[in-house]
Amino acid sequence: MPANLIRMGHTTKAQTIHATPQAQGVPLLPGCNFHDDPLMKRSLKKCSYMDKKFGAPTFVADVPTHFEPPIYGKIDPMEEGVGERLPTPPWLAQHNILRFNAYFKEPILESDVETVRIRKCVIYYHTEDRTILVRELSQVNSGMQQGVLIKRHCIPLDASEQPAGLEEPKVLGPEHFIVGQEVTVYGKRFMVIGVDSNTRNHLTDLGYTVPENMEWPADNQFEALCAKKAKRQQVTSEHMDMKRHHEYGATGLISIPSPRKVARTQKFLQHGGEKLKFMAAWDDRDMPHGDLRMLQINYFLEDDTIQVLEPPVNNSGREGCTKVVTRQRCPKVEHRRAFANEGLFDNLKKDAKQHLTFGVDMDYGYYTADDLAIGKVLDIHGRSLVLYDCDEMTRDWYWKERGIDLGAPINVQDYFKTHPKAPPRLRPPPHHGIGSEEDSLESWKNLMPKAPKRNHEKETKYAGKILSYALRMVPSPNALIEEEGRHFILSYYLENDTLSIGEIGINNSGLMGGKYLARQRVKRLLPDGSYKWYTPEDFKVGEVITVLSKQFRVLEMDSATEKFLGGIVDPSTPEDIKRLVVSMRDAMLLKHPRVQEAFRAIGGHTNNNIDVSDIIEFFRTINLDVKREDAKTIMSMFDHDGDGVLNYNEFVAMVQGDEYSLNMDELSNTTKQFKITSDDMFKQTQAYTRDAIQSAHENSVFTKKCEKLVTALRDKIAQRRCQFLDVFRVLSGHSLDSQLHAEDFRHGLKEFLGFVLSPEEESVLEQAFFPGGQPCNLQRFCCVLESDNKLGA
């Protein structure tokens, strides 16, 4: 490649390529157009078919294949016959902006105040490209949009001033902007009234004569406002006295400014723009991601307002000059607490300016200049700010106005070392109310949350168990409606410790009954500030409970709830009794195919009857623990004659229903084969109540002694491997009336069983077996030994 084609810092004239594909008859295909070689091109710019004239795009028909930029200020020494140096282009010359002050008149047709409005503007002329920008000056309270009036571009002369015979229109230049003369720009006639010093010097260097600057003209609106102000009459004290006299005669009131407003105005006029500056530190390290923040407190003397700013700190991760507290009067701690304890109506009675809300002015209870000093701690909306330094102007003001020396600044690091704070402790956020609290807590504990564990054993045990309480709402001091007469029913579900509250509707009260609180778990506040879920032990009759900031008094509880809390087990349901009968039938079917064998095996071989003890003993042989009241219920269901025992016919009816076949079939072993009548359930309830009354005396000394002695006697009989029937026969001495007397009982215990007792213990056993001194039969003897009956039924 020739050396004169590309040379750093120099340019060469374009070469002409004669060997084109069209001239040699070569098809215009890739690889044949050697004239497009980039190394042979002087410029690699894209050819454009559009040009810009007068600020608008224009189509260009003849586009040159090569663009040869002009040579400015450089000569190639290798090239021969190069002409002289060309002048410097305008964009490389010194850039200067000429500034002309001008105005134009805007006619006003529909106004009685003004007829012509003066629009003041500034014309900027850029010498680098002869562009012009027109900007209108802003006028206060003009009501017009002001700013850029004409954007920057080359502005042509008016059509009436264009010279004839030119292909392109002539544009405005500095020679057209003459002080004291008008220039037309897009139909608007601007009057040039002055230039700045830079423009005057530039035009003088170019040889132009610049006249002196002129004053801005006054428009009609300005003159009308001045005349209106001149006509205003000054209000004197005599006029104010006459005004108050007329007001008092018409309304009985006098409109005079309050002393507080007068003092505030005087303070504003005296200390306008003055402020005290303190440096404060806020230790927020006890919170997660907290830090020791350095703040600036500005106290404005004109209205006693405080502004808290945070100066920028390098590499702190926070934006600089953050406004922590906007300018306002900040309440003191004791005043803020007193306001929080006041009632709603008490706050409404006060002045609206006294409400402690952000941005609202206060009349008392706020921080003043007397509360600020180095070393003091300010509580501003819950933030404890320690004042550790101030500027010199603040020190001088306190010394001149108050005679107080603020002292030396405090070392913040040493101060917080002597006042350490506890390390931050991560606490779960408050529950947002969606879903259960346990489920939301799992999302805070684990990145992959798991479902909270459920107590299936408790849910199965207490399924369907509900405790009911009667509540009455305790009226609050700020109640807007009558709350004292509202009654509620609280239902506590034992299976998952949830509760719901329903309101009892009262006619003509204006309050609709129904659901008051949906079923959910509720926490109660403890004295130490912690929370705990409500349990059945928290609902005591006569006490006051708090549920979601509302207080209720527990009036009473239903009988089922009282029995559950007292440890008394509810009687079995009819379905439980049916299942016991079916289980009894299944066991008989497996052991004894015929009814006669089952009757003899259970107890019918003794006296051709089956009593309650025989039924309990049979269930014990099949490993079923049956309560005595359930056995009595089964007995009462099939004891048609009411003698307290089952004969053979009643036993057959129990095990086979209405079919009196001698064979026991499986079709009868269902709970649908028999029904329990209301009389049976009444008897069962009676038996349950009687046993419940007896169990209420379990804690007495006599009952415990009786239980201990009966248990020892039963163990003595079990050691000798005897049946209760055999022991009864031996103790009764084969009496003719088949009953056991007290004398025979004491003699038999010593002689036959070897069960030696003291006289007191013998008396306890006699009261258990012989209540009222009556003889004891076989049935009572077995019942006392089997069911641990203390005093007898």
Side-chain angles (χ1 to χ4, degrees):
M1 181 176 64
N4 60 348
L5 290 181
I6 299 177
R7 190 180 298 268
M8 297 297 295
H10 297 82
T11 56
T12 59
K13 62 181 181 179
Q15 298 181 0
T16 303
I17 305 299
H18 300 284
T20 60
Q22 293 85 350
Q24 299 180 359
V26 180
L28 190 61
L29 296 175
C32 300
N33 48 351
F34 304 104
H35 65 287
D36 289 339
D37 191 353
L39 298 178
M40 304 298 295
K41 286 186 178 182
R42 180 62 55 86
S43 176
L44 300 179
K45 294 183 179 180
K46 293 286 185 179
C47 296
S48 177
Y49 289 87
M50 303 297 290
D51 194 5
K52 191 174 183 181
K53 290 184 179 181
F54 305 110
T58 306
F59 179 75
V60 180
D62 300 331
V63 181
T65 57
H66 295 283
F67 174 75
E68 187 67 26
I71 302 175
Y72 293 103
K74 292 184 180 181
I75 300 177
D76 188 2
M78 302 293 295
E79 188 70 20
E80 297 179 359
V82 179
E84 60 184 3
R85 185 186 305 272
L86 297 178
T88 304
W91 57 83
L92 295 180
Q94 182 180 4
H95 180 206
N96 198 359
I97 300 177
L98 308 182
R99 188 174 184 271
F100 301 91
N101 294 334
Y103 69 90
F104 68 93
K105 296 182 179 180
E106 180 182 5
I108 305 299
L109 303 179
E110 300 178 356
S111 177
D112 57 348
V113 179
E114 55 181 345
T115 57
V116 178
R117 183 174 300 165
I118 302 299
R119 306 286 292 272
K120 302 177 182 180
C121 304
V122 178
I123 301 175
Y124 298 93
Y125 183 86
H126 297 264
T127 59
E128 61 174 349
D129 53 0
R130 306 185 68 182
T131 55
I132 298 175
L133 182 141
V134 181
R135 184 186 300 274
E136 184 177 2
L137 297 178
S138 60
Q139 300 182 29
V140 181
N141 299 326
S142 64
M144 300 179 298
Q145 289 186 352
Q146 298 165 342
V148 177
L149 191 63
I150 300 176
K151 293 184 178 180
R152 178 181 172 182
H153 66 284
C154 293
I155 301 178
L157 285 173
D158 191 63
S160 61
E161 301 177 2
Q162 287 285 352
L166 296 180
E167 297 181 358
E168 295 184 358
K170 190 175 181 181
V171 298
L172 290 174
E175 65 274 7
H176 299 94
F177 299 99
I178 302 174
V179 177
Q181 297 185 9
E182 293 184 346
V183 58
T184 304
V185 179
Y186 292 128
K188 293 185 181 295
R189 302 185 64 84
F190 288 85
M191 171 62 72
V192 182
I193 63 171
V195 296
D196 58 357
S197 58
N198 177 45
T199 305
R200 185 179 296 275
N201 296 334
H202 183 85
L203 295 177
T204 302
D205 294 341
L206 294 179
Y208 296 102
T209 302
V210 183
E212 295 296 329
N213 295 341
M214 303 168 56
E215 297 293 334
W216 292 102
D219 54 356
N220 296 341
Q221 183 182 14
F222 180 75
E223 294 177 356
L225 291 177
C226 293
K228 188 175 181 180
K229 290 182 179 179
K231 292 180 180 179
R232 290 180 180 176
Q233 185 179 3
Q234 276 311 101
V235 180
T236 62
S237 60
E238 290 79 5
H239 293 115
M240 292 300 299
D241 294 340
M242 184 63 66
K243 176 177 178 294
R244 297 190 186 99
H245 175 73
H246 288 297
E247 287 179 351
Y248 184 76
T251 62
L253 302 175
I254 300 177
S255 60
I256 59 176
S258 63
R260 186 180 301 163
K261 292 184 179 179
V262 173
R264 182 182 299 177
T265 304
Q266 293 177 352
K267 191 173 184 180
F268 176 79
L269 297 176
Q270 180 181 0
H271 301 285
E274 297 181 5
K275 66 178 179 180
L276 307 178
K277 184 186 296 184
F278 286 88
M279 306 307 296
W282 174 32
D283 190 5
D284 192 34
R285 289 175 291 186
D286 56 343
M287 299 297 294
H289 313 292
D291 197 1
L292 182 60
R293 312 278 287 273
M294 301 301 174
L295 307 177
Q296 174 183 330
I297 298 180
N298 296 328
Y299 181 85
F300 297 88
L301 294 171
E302 59 187 25
D303 53 359
D304 298 325
T305 55
I306 291 178
Q307 182 187 41
V308 182
L309 304 176
E310 185 176 8
V313 180
N314 296 331
N315 300 326
S316 64
R318 292 182 292 269
E319 295 183 359
C321 198
T322 305
K323 187 181 295 184
V324 180
V325 178
T326 187
R327 182 176 174 180
Q328 59 182 283
R329 289 184 175 179
C330 299
K332 297 181 181 179
V333 179
E334 57 273 9
H335 184 70
R336 189 166 65 243
R337 291 174 180 172
F339 179 82
N341 296 329
E342 291 175 352
L344 176 63
F345 292 112
D346 298 334
N347 297 334
L348 295 179
K349 292 177 183 178
K350 291 187 176 182
D351 187 7
K353 293 183 178 180
Q354 193 54 35
H355 288 185
L356 304 185
T357 55
F358 293 99
V360 178
D361 208 0
M362 300 172 54
D363 291 334
Y364 60 91
Y366 52 86
Y367 285 109
T368 60
D370 299 332
D371 301 321
L372 306 180
I374 294 178
K376 286 192 175 182
V377 180
L378 303 183
D379 190 311
I380 299 180
H381 299 302
R383 299 180 177 92
S384 298
L385 307 183
V386 181
L387 305 182
Y388 67 90
D389 198 2
C390 63
D391 59 352
E392 292 299 329
M393 181 267 176
T394 304
R395 294 180 183 273
D396 296 341
W397 187 89
Y398 271 95
W399 179 254
K400 294 179 182 179
E401 299 294 335
R402 298 289 194 270
I404 300 175
D405 185 10
L406 295 180
I410 298 176
N411 191 343
V412 179
Q413 301 295 337
D414 296 341
Y415 176 85
F416 287 108
K417 284 181 181 179
T418 58
H419 301 77
K421 286 193 173 184
R425 179 182 177 186
L426 295 177
R427 293 182 176 88
H431 187 226
H432 48 67
I434 302 176
S436 62
E437 185 171 353
E438 293 81 0
D439 194 9
S440 302
L441 192 61
E442 290 294 332
S443 301
W444 178 78
K445 290 181 178 179
N446 303 316
L447 185 61
M448 301 295 293
K450 300 179 182 179
K453 295 183 179 180
R454 299 171 55 183
N455 192 348
H456 296 282
E457 182 180 356
K458 183 178 180 181
E459 293 178 357
T460 305
K461 181 179 179 180
Y462 296 109
K465 299 290 184 180
I466 303 175
L467 306 182
S468 300
Y469 301 87
L471 309 178
R472 184 183 63 195
M473 181 176 289
V474 177
S476 57
N478 300 330
L480 299 178
I481 58 176
E482 296 181 359
E483 296 181 346
E484 187 175 2
R486 303 177 67 180
H487 290 76
F488 302 85
I489 298 296
L490 186 145
S491 300
Y492 188 90
Y493 300 86
L494 292 171
E495 57 184 7
N496 53 6
D497 297 329
T498 58
L499 58 90
S500 63
I501 300 178
E503 184 174 2
I504 302 176
I506 303 176
N507 296 332
N508 302 325
S509 64
L511 299 175
M512 296 180 61
K515 182 186 293 185
Y516 181 80
L517 178 66
R519 181 177 176 181
Q520 57 182 293
R521 297 184 71 186
V522 181
K523 290 183 176 180
R524 70 182 185 95
L525 180 63
L526 299 179
D528 58 352
S530 59
Y531 290 89
K532 180 183 177 183
W533 298 111
Y534 269 111
T535 58
E537 292 75 13
D538 299 327
F539 304 101
K540 297 180 180 179
V541 177
E543 293 189 357
V544 178
I545 61 173
T546 303
V547 178
L548 301 180
S549 72
K550 284 292 185 180
Q551 291 185 343
F552 301 88
R553 187 177 298 277
V554 182
L555 300 180
E556 58 179 348
M557 62 181 72
D558 60 353
S559 58
T561 304
E562 187 175 1
K563 292 174 183 178
F564 175 81
L565 296 178
I568 302 175
V569 183
D570 293 336
S572 302
T573 61
E575 291 296 329
D576 297 336
I577 302 300
K578 292 179 182 180
R579 281 192 288 269
L580 290 177
V581 175
V582 172
S583 301
M584 187 176 182
R585 288 178 177 178
D586 294 337
M588 291 180 184
L589 180 63
L590 293 175
K591 293 184 177 181
H592 312 287
R594 300 185 64 84
V595 180
Q596 294 87 343
E597 298 178 3
F599 182 74
R600 295 192 189 99
I602 293 177
H605 64 282
T606 57
N607 52 5
N608 295 327
N609 290 322
I610 296 177
D611 55 7
V612 177
S613 303
D614 297 333
I615 296 177
I616 296 175
E617 185 65 24
F618 177 77
F619 277 109
R620 188 175 298 173
T621 58
I622 61 176
N623 298 325
L624 284 180
D625 188 11
V626 179
K627 296 181 290 185
R628 187 172 184 82
E629 54 268 15
D630 296 342
K632 290 180 180 179
T633 303
I634 297 174
M635 176 69 70
S636 62
M637 288 170 54
F638 302 99
D639 185 13
H640 301 295
D641 54 4
D643 57 353
V645 293
L646 296 179
N647 54 30
Y648 179 75
N649 295 331
E650 293 172 345
F651 179 77
V652 172
M654 180 183 68
V655 298
Q656 290 188 349
D658 295 332
E659 300 176 0
Y660 285 85
S661 63
L662 298 180
N663 295 325
M664 300 175 60
D665 54 352
E666 297 181 1
L667 296 177
S668 62
N669 295 337
T670 59
T671 59
K672 298 181 180 180
Q673 294 297 323
F674 57 91
K675 297 181 179 180
I676 299 179
T677 62
S678 58
D679 295 338
D680 300 333
M681 292 306 300
F682 178 74
K683 294 177 181 178
Q684 178 191 5
T685 305
Q686 277 188 331
Y688 165 75
T689 305
R690 184 168 57 253
D691 294 343
I693 294 175
Q694 294 175 2
S695 61
H697 302 280
E698 291 180 354
N699 296 329
S700 64
V701 178
F702 175 79
T703 305
K704 292 182 178 180
K705 289 182 178 180
C706 183
E707 180 182 0
K708 182 178 180 180
L709 292 175
V710 172
T711 303
L713 179 58
R714 186 171 57 248
D715 295 341
K716 194 70 173 179
I717 296 174
Q719 291 177 2
R720 293 180 174 270
R721 297 182 180 180
C722 298
Q723 298 291 333
F724 293 160
L725 177 60
D726 300 335
V727 175
F728 181 80
R729 289 175 180 175
V730 171
L731 294 178
S732 61
H734 302 282
S735 61
L736 298 177
D737 55 357
S738 299
Q739 291 184 350
L740 178 62
H741 299 275
E743 296 79 5
D744 299 336
F745 179 72
R746 290 193 299 268
H747 179 73
L749 290 179
K750 296 179 182 179
E751 297 295 335
F752 300 107
L753 294 179
F755 194 61
V756 181
L757 300 175
S758 63
E760 183 182 358
E761 294 175 345
E762 289 180 355
S763 176
V764 172
L765 283 180
E766 286 179 2
Q767 293 185 21
F769 287 94
F770 310 97
Q774 298 180 0
C776 177
N777 54 15
L778 176 62
Q779 180 180 359
R780 179 165 185 79
F781 182 80
C782 296
C783 290
V784 173
L785 293 176
E786 289 179 352
S787 59
D788 296 340
N789 195 354
K790 287 79 179 177
L791 299 176

